[in-house]
Amino acid sequence: MDATLVVRADHQEVERRVLSSGTHTFNVYVDLVETARRVLIDYEIAGKSDSAEVRIEPVRKVQIFILPHSHHDLGYTDLQSNIEAKQVANISKGIELARNTANYPPGARFVWNLEVLWGADLFMRTKTEPEREELISAAKKGWIGLNGMYANELTGLCRPEELLQLFRYSTELGNQCGIHVDSAMISDVPGYTWGTVSAMAQAGIRYFSAAPNFFDRIGTFMVEWQDKPFWWVSPSGNERVLVWVPWTGYAMSHIMKLDTLWVNKYQARLDEVGFPYQISYIRWSGHGDNAVPDPDICEFVKKWNEEYEWPRFSIATTSDAFAAFEKQHGHQLPELKGDLTPYWEDGAGSSALETRMNRGAAERLVQAATLSTILAPQSHNKADFDAAWRNVLLYSEHTWGAWNSVSDSENSFVTQQWQVKRQFAVDAEDQSKSLLKGVLDAYASESDSSNLDVHNTCSWPRTDVVLISKERSQGKDHVKNQHGTSVPSQRLSTGELAFLAENVPALGSARFHLSAEAPHVPAKRVTVLDGVLDNGVVRANVDSKNGNIIELMSERHAHNLVDTTLDEAVNKYLFLEGEDASKVSTSGPVRIAIEEPGPLIATIRIESSAPGCVDLVRRVRLKASVDWIEISNTVNKKRAPLNPHPGKDGPGGDFAQRGSKESVQFAFPFAIENGQIHVDVPLAVMRPEIDQLPGSCKNWLPVGRWIDVANAEHGVTCATLDAPLVEIGSLSATMLGSQTHPEIWRKHIEPTQKFYSWVINNHWGTNYRAYQDGLIEFRYALRPHAGYDPAAASRFAIGLSQPLIASAQGQRSRTALKLRIDQEDVLLQECKRSADGNAWIVVLFGAAGENRKANLTWTDNSPIKVWRSDLRERPLARLGTQLDVPAWELVTLRIEVQNT
């Protein structure tokens, strides 16, 4: 039987409808309120009535953008090949949903954000021409949102050029689509190295949607930055990007459902934190990682916006959402300058050998590209370099392995994923070596092994020892330079010939001749006696009892730079099982031998047992004339014990969380009164604590090429060629397994002159490796110096990671780059032929921390036109040949030579 229902709010009728018998649920609408108040709701039906007071909250008049995407884990939940196929299919599915909803009201139409671009790159390389055109068309229409990062990268692992490569593909795909990619996404990864801002600026990226894992191994990152948008300012202070971390990071769709209850919860959250803006956004990544596009959001938004006035929902690209926010609120945001020191880079220590390989490959690719420009431009094949950089980037991508990589490490699902991941580093190393060899082969024109050229890929003159293989130098111990002057040489115990190549010109070459005469002895020999290495410039003393370095002195300073208090020493091996740093152990009794006696190179070899290892071999080397010592530590690692119950309990189980956890460090304590530590990171230098933004990781820090300890008078630069992690002041990298409580993380780094190179660990309970074994070499170099000089530190470390290269003699191409830069504090970051073939692209970096002027000249006096440019290689603004290079700024140039 039907009856009429009347509903009143504060005695005013708000609803009247006829109801049939049964249960009915419906909404009753009341006027908006500006402040919370109680309203009397009463009803009458069929002679019955009732009433109740309800609390009405004000509705936020907020525009909420929804950014649909799929979180790109290259592995973890499935084999990489399956994930690749899924993400490529997601692009087609996203286009289909956008097409199907094209006639929906604005805001309810489907948009598919490509979180990162490795899937799009694979799509464009493997799909048919019509399918590629469909993607390009969808991007032009705004159906597909392109975001600038190639992968969800561990940015703290990147070499400087690698960080630029992370964004380079977005400029190329953007050009193909006829759009400007001005936004980037990253998901899961907490923390980002400071130079990311500089790299983004080079790619034209202004907006950064950072959505990390919202609970595990993230320190205080989400506490500090969730829904607190800000302008992140580059190290130079001249660029900035808008950074915004949404509530629950990228995982909202994993734990919530879009409905009225969610809307109420979201508004309550905005009220709770006092969110001051009228625009907000959320990520919607579907149901799990690597999820397919979720069409239900269109129906939700369409229905909600038709029914309710506020809040308003709009499905959008990252670019559109952030641009709308900037337009309305950009002027209200704080500007912050510093490092957002990342957390998850520690996992790279679970595969230290492959991490070493990848770092070396990145440096070698830079050298190969530079060599091709200065020797044989015709040898440069962009596709081959792109393929090699792709492997470098995908190794540094955050997905290391399977979800059960620790709890069930020998499962084929785990081992298959690790083999794919490892292959990225293997292929990058092989490709980089092949590309370097290809350049040298294209350059060589003489087969006489007695004649050779030494090439300098750096933008300043170099002097260093060069090694020639035993086969090439057999029976030829004497070396003369191109002027016929004998240079110091020495036959090594390996059979290689070492000789001193002096003053090899910047971006140039020097010629040498080998002969059968006796080696020439340096005027000032390097000596080794009773554990002391001395070349008259630097002196180092190796303790005969334990093989540690207990003395480092320079001719500039009479006091010992090593802090030996508390039984400490430089290059001391430390092994820690579990998390209790008081139980750290060290290497055993040593066997010391002189491996190279001088006069050009002297090397001490220290062999010992070491906990966690089959054995440990450390070498300390000093060359004549140079002002640094070199260290090589070869760890023959034992495999950590495996889970005795494979697969039991999974990543959250006792073994995965705490079983067989271990780490290896090498100590670097320095006696430098009031010394300040500076850490090189890609495209920046940062001081622990001082230059770290809130929410940064302080238990460990990624390091690029060097770390320096200095006061105004003296200091030491430590170059680290292979190991990318350091602990400052103490063994603070003791966070085992899942760590979800923000308060347990290190809050401050006190002033100190001591750090530890953290080279090996297996601390995670998932994703990263459970063990590693075999031979792994970690190389360092220590250079005493006067007061802190960041440009000198960079030249020193780059010189080691991009060494002088010997080749057969050849003829430099007439079309080769002939650039000279007269300011040594302005470092060449990259040089190559432009994609259009009409210019040279040269990237400079202001490494001194102070503004510098640099003059550019062409060595054959050809007139040149210089343009300011960026990653898109466009001529942006005409410049002269004298440039202003601001401190810590990347300056990209497009140089056109007039007579070529």
Side-chain angles (χ1 to χ4, degrees), residues 335-619:
E335 287 192 344
L336 301 172
K337 187 177 181 183
D339 193 61
L340 267 171
T341 312
Y343 288 80
W344 286 10
E345 277 71 353
D346 64 323
S350 72
S351 54
L353 174 62
E354 290 76 16
T355 298
R356 176 189 194 272
M357 293 163 62
N358 209 55
R359 283 167 69 90
E363 299 283 13
R364 198 176 296 110
L365 284 170
V366 172
Q367 280 201 283
T370 303
L371 273 179
S372 73
T373 64
I374 65 176
L375 299 180
Q378 73 280 4
S379 67
H380 188 278
N381 184 304
K382 181 180 182 303
D384 291 343
F385 276 89
D386 286 349
W389 278 116
R390 186 182 306 122
N391 283 317
V392 170
L393 289 170
L394 291 179
Y395 179 79
S396 298
E397 193 268 347
H398 79 300
T399 319
W400 233 249
W403 62 271
N404 54 341
S405 62
V406 179
S407 58
D408 199 5
S409 61
E410 306 312 291
N411 187 309
S412 62
F413 180 73
V414 174
T415 58
Q416 286 180 68
Q417 288 199 47
W418 168 240
Q419 284 307 312
V420 172
K421 181 68 172 184
R422 182 179 191 276
Q423 201 63 38
F424 291 137
V426 171
D427 288 348
E429 181 176 65
D430 290 346
Q431 289 164 322
S432 67
K433 290 179 178 179
S434 176
L435 287 165
L436 183 62
K437 181 178 183 298
V439 174
L440 297 177
D441 288 347
Y443 166 76
S445 61
E446 186 172 323
S447 59
D448 186 353
S449 63
S450 298
N451 299 318
L452 53 88
D453 290 344
V454 173
H455 311 289
N456 176 13
T457 56
C458 297
S459 54
W460 62 93
R462 298 270 311 281
T463 295
D464 202 352
V465 170
V466 175
L467 301 183
I468 307 300
S469 69
K470 175 182 178 180
E471 295 74 21
R472 183 183 179 90
S473 63
Q474 190 76 45
K476 302 167 186 174
D477 288 355
H478 192 90
V479 184
K480 291 184 178 180
N481 64 21
Q482 60 200 42
H483 305 295
T485 303
S486 297
V487 300
S489 61
Q490 178 183 332
R491 182 66 62 179
L492 303 183
S493 60
T494 59
E496 297 166 293
L497 178 69
F499 72 90
L500 187 65
E502 295 182 287
N503 298 315
V504 182
L507 298 175
S509 308
R511 300 210 141 160
F512 296 88
H513 178 75
L514 310 183
S515 67
E517 302 171 52
H520 182 70
V521 176
K524 181 66 176 177
R525 298 170 177 246
V526 59
T527 61
V528 53
L529 181 65
D530 296 331
V532 176
L533 295 158
D534 194 342
N535 67 357
V537 181
V538 177
R539 169 190 167 97
N541 188 352
V542 173
D543 192 321
S544 61
K545 298 187 294 296
N546 52 41
N548 302 331
I549 298 172
I550 55 174
E551 182 183 78
L552 178 63
M553 299 180 69
S554 164
E555 63 176 350
R556 300 187 187 96
H557 308 287
H559 77 274
N560 184 11
L561 296 172
V562 177
D563 181 358
T564 56
T565 62
L566 303 176
D567 193 34
E568 295 193 295
V570 163
N571 207 37
K572 182 178 182 178
Y573 174 91
L574 301 173
F575 180 76
L576 179 61
E577 291 183 280
E579 61 187 347
D580 186 351
S582 68
K583 296 180 179 179
V584 68
S585 55
T586 189
S587 52
V590 298
R591 297 174 295 282
I592 296 180
I594 297 174
E595 197 167 67
E596 308 295 347
L600 180 61
I601 296 178
T603 304
I604 295 174
R605 184 181 190 274
I606 307 111
E607 186 176 353
S608 66
S609 62
C613 300
V614 176
D615 55 43
L616 169 69
V617 176
R618 291 174 287 171
R619 290 178 172 87

Side-chain angles (χ1 to χ4, degrees), residues 680-736:
D680 173 61
V681 293
L683 306 178
V685 172
M686 58 85 76
R687 295 164 294 177
E689 186 73 24
I690 299 169
D691 293 321
Q692 291 183 279
L693 292 180
S696 290
C697 183
K698 296 180 179 180
N699 292 70
W700 54 84
L701 281 69
V703 58
R705 295 186 177 114
W706 55 267
I707 181 168
D708 187 271
V709 186
N711 57 31
E713 288 77 37
H714 60 274
V716 177
T717 300
C718 173
T720 172
L721 278 72
D722 307 306
L725 299 165
V726 292
E727 301 160 272
I728 306 297
S730 64
L731 298 182
S732 53
T734 55
M735 311 297 280
L736 309 184

